Structure formats: C-alpha cells, structure tokens
Amino acid sequence: MALEQADVQRAAHLARLGLNDGDAARYVDDLNRILAMVDQLQRVDTDDIAPLSHPLDATQRLRADEVTESDRRTQFQRCAPAVENGLYLVPRVVE
C-alpha cells in the first residue's frame, strides 16, 4: 500500500498537526519506505518459529520474600489530623 501526499495531509489534520507541503512530501517518502519494510517482514516464513517471551535466554534474579521493615502504622497515624479504626479520614471531595 503506497501513501500519497493527501493521505499524509489527512492524517496530520486528524492529529491536529500543522504540516506544510514540503514536510508532507518528505513524510510520504519516509512512510512509504516504512510500509515497504513492513511488507518485506510480512513475507518472512515464521511457521516453524516458536514465539519468545524474551529475546535473551536469561532468568531474573529475585530477592527472598521476607519482611524487612516493622509495622509503623500507629507511628505514622499519630501525626494525622483524623484517624478512625486504622484508616485516615479525609474530607469528602465528591458528593
């Protein structure tokens, strides 16, 4: 599929971009080259290729799931203006 300058101008209008004729002509060439590359990639036979979850065969090192800090909720809530049943009370914003 080849793009024309009118297609680029329409896309620029829809995206609310100010685009002059010189820039539009340059974008037509660039976009047509991109579309040609996509067409070339579409022709590659990938029937026997398994999908990858990651391009590198590596595993992520994870830390142990251990508690490293103590519960300081009461300490933090002492400086709050209003607290009830362990929850912070805030003014109603939406009615």
Side-chain angles (χ1 to χ4, degrees), residues 39-73:
D39 286 340
Q40 182 182 4
L41 290 173
Q42 292 289 343
R43 289 192 298 265
V44 174
D45 181 25
T46 59
D47 289 337
D48 297 330
I49 307 297
L52 296 174
S53 61
H54 194 277
L56 301 177
D57 188 25
T59 57
Q60 185 178 5
R61 297 187 322 222
L62 301 174
R63 64 176 173 81
D65 190 16
E66 299 172 351
V67 176
T68 58
E69 294 183 10
S70 61
D71 182 16
R72 300 185 333 189
R73 182 177 72 175

Side-chain angles (χ1 to χ4, degrees), residues 4-67:
E4 297 177 1
Q5 189 164 347
D7 298 323
V8 172
Q9 290 286 6
R10 178 162 160 61
H13 173 71
L14 292 174
R16 304 293 189 256
L17 298 173
L19 195 64
N20 61 32
D21 291 337
D23 288 340
R26 211 171 56 239
Y27 288 134
V28 167
D29 293 337
D30 291 344
L31 290 172
N32 280 329
R33 279 195 304 256
I34 291 170
L35 290 175
M37 183 182 68
V38 170
D39 286 340
Q40 182 182 4
L41 290 173
Q42 292 289 343
R43 289 192 298 265
V44 174
D45 181 25
T46 59
D47 289 337
D48 297 330
I49 307 297
L52 296 174
S53 61
H54 194 277
L56 301 177
D57 188 25
T59 57
Q60 185 178 5
R61 297 187 322 222
L62 301 174
R63 64 176 173 81
D65 190 16
E66 299 172 351
V67 176

